[in-house]
Amino acid sequence: MLLKGKQALIMGVANQRSIAWGIASAFHREGATLAFTYQGERLKENLDALLDTIGGHATFPTFPCDVQNDEQVQAVFAGLQDRWGRLDAVAHCIAFATREDLARPFPEISRSGYALALDISAYSLIPVARHAAPLLAAAGGGSIFSMTYNAVNRVVPGYNVMAVAKAALETEVRYLASELGPRQIRVNAISAGAIKTLASSAVKGISKLRDLTEQTAPLRRNVTQEEVGDVAVFLASDLSRAVTGNTIFVDSGMHLMGIAQEQ
Ligand SMILES: NC(=O)c1ccc[n+]([C@@H]2O[C@H](COP(=O)([O-])OP(=O)(O)OC[C@H]3O[C@@H](n4cnc5c(N)ncnc54)[C@H](O)[C@@H]3O)[C@@H](O)[C@H]2O)c1
């Protein structure tokens, strides 16, 4: 029960394969009280069905939140202020790029596709942190974390515009960590290995990446949503009270490798 007494907001559950759902399940197991955001009414049905498996959807505060809509982002935290008055952790598990902008050659990325990917996948962490900060400070401090991928430091064909968005996101994590730190608010990123989800299905070559991980990563296997969830528990818990501004790799060590290993 590492999160007993903690109140956490989970952003980005689309279905049972979502990394956010792996995080929610781990938080629930560890005794956290949870609230959720969902992108639209269709995804609310998915979320409600999942929440029914862990105690009933009516018991969890849920908020509509398209991160391109400033009023909705603000309303989430106003709602949590009314309901809880404080917050211990925020899991930001949100990203989007059009399939076209992921698929086209890098020099062909469109201005509009670039702006969209950066707005949803990177900028959104800033208003989330801004509105979450007073609630986290009211708890004496807390934890914000987001999800990234190592296409930032290495070229992963097919990741294209999303790699740029993740580079921006990782930089935001460091700047937010620096500025929110005096209020004891930690900001980190988890860099997960390739996992099959709705979002990753838009990345051409995700299956190849997973095969390569099995052949090449130090642990010779892919990672699961549950394994990401367990590291998220650490980041939301007091065990990580001195950890901020980091990118923590949960990728079987794949980020270390330069070339494929001999079997
Ligand atoms: N799956 C992987 O291999 C992998 C690896 C590393 C990092 N990540 C990151 O993990 C995070 C979660 O992705 P996932 O793989 O679980 O896929 P997913 O499709 O389950 O989750 C993506 C979420 O982003 C939400 N979203 C998209 N646009 C939004 C908007 N405008 N407003 C609000 N929400 C919006 C979707 O509703 C969805 O819930 C993403 O940041 C992704 O880049 C995924």
Side-chain angles (χ1 to χ4, degrees):
M1 298 298 267
L2 285 167
L3 300 181
K4 199 167 165 30
K6 301 275 190 209
Q7 302 187 130
L9 174 68
I10 313 283
M11 308 182 78
V13 176
N15 58 35
Q16 87 280 3
R17 290 187 141 190
S18 292
I19 291 175
W21 185 244
I23 293 169
S25 305
F27 279 23
H28 179 68
R29 182 193 72 216
E30 297 297 333
T33 302
L34 299 177
F36 294 84
T37 65
Y38 54 90
Q39 189 188 349
E41 283 312 307
R42 195 177 54 76
L43 294 183
K44 181 170 176 20
E45 282 177 28
N46 289 1
L47 176 62
D48 283 352
L50 289 169
L51 296 181
D52 286 341
T53 67
I54 60 165
H57 69 269
T59 56
F60 297 92
T62 61
F63 303 92
C65 183
D66 184 319
V67 292
Q68 291 197 285
N69 180 327
D70 288 334
E71 288 74 37
Q72 282 191 357
V73 175
Q74 203 170 347
V76 172
F77 294 95
L80 286 174
Q81 172 67 52
D82 289 347
R83 192 124 178 184
W84 289 348
R86 68 173 180 86
L87 190 58
D88 299 288
V90 180
H92 173 277
C93 311
I94 287 171
F96 182 79
T98 66
R99 276 179 193 264
E100 295 72 42
D101 279 296
L102 288 167
R104 51 174 130 239
F106 198 89
E108 305 297 328
I109 291 170
S110 69
R111 187 186 295 271
S112 62
Y114 184 100
L116 182 71
L118 270 282
D119 187 36
I120 295 176
S121 317
Y123 176 71
S124 65
L125 182 66
I126 296 174
V128 163
R130 178 164 66 241
H131 294 299
L135 282 157
L136 293 160
S143 172
I144 301 172
F145 59 89
S146 187
M147 298 299 311
T148 187
Y149 180 61
N150 195 38
V152 170
N153 301 313
R154 313 264 161 160
V155 170
V156 178
Y159 216 74
N160 293 359
V161 70
M162 190 54 75
V164 184
K166 293 304 189 193
L169 181 79
E170 290 184 17
T171 303
E172 289 168 22
V173 163
R174 292 188 280 269
Y175 277 78
L176 288 168
S178 164
E179 296 213 4
L180 298 179
R183 288 193 267 172
Q184 299 308 307
I185 298 168
R186 288 124 51 211
V187 188
N188 292 285
I190 294 176
S191 186
I195 299 175
K196 281 194 171 164
T197 63
L198 197 61
S200 72
S201 70
V203 178
K204 213 170 133 234
I206 180 86
S207 298
K208 208 165 137 196
L209 263 175
R210 285 176 57 83
D211 290 347
L212 199 63
T213 304
E214 282 184 358
Q215 293 154 13
T216 305
L219 299 182
R220 299 289 202 283
R221 63 176 182 81
N222 281 292
V223 302
T224 64
Q225 286 84 340
E226 291 72 24
E227 288 167 329
V228 175
D230 286 347
V231 173
V233 167
F234 164 71
L235 284 179
S237 78
D238 294 340
L239 294 177
S240 65
R241 62 195 175 279
V243 177
T244 195
N246 281 278
T247 298
I248 300 180
F249 291 93
V250 184
D251 68 344
S252 296
M254 186 65 180
H255 67 284
L256 298 174
M257 305 310 299
I259 56 163
Q261 312 210 49
E262 296 288 322
Q263 289 306 291

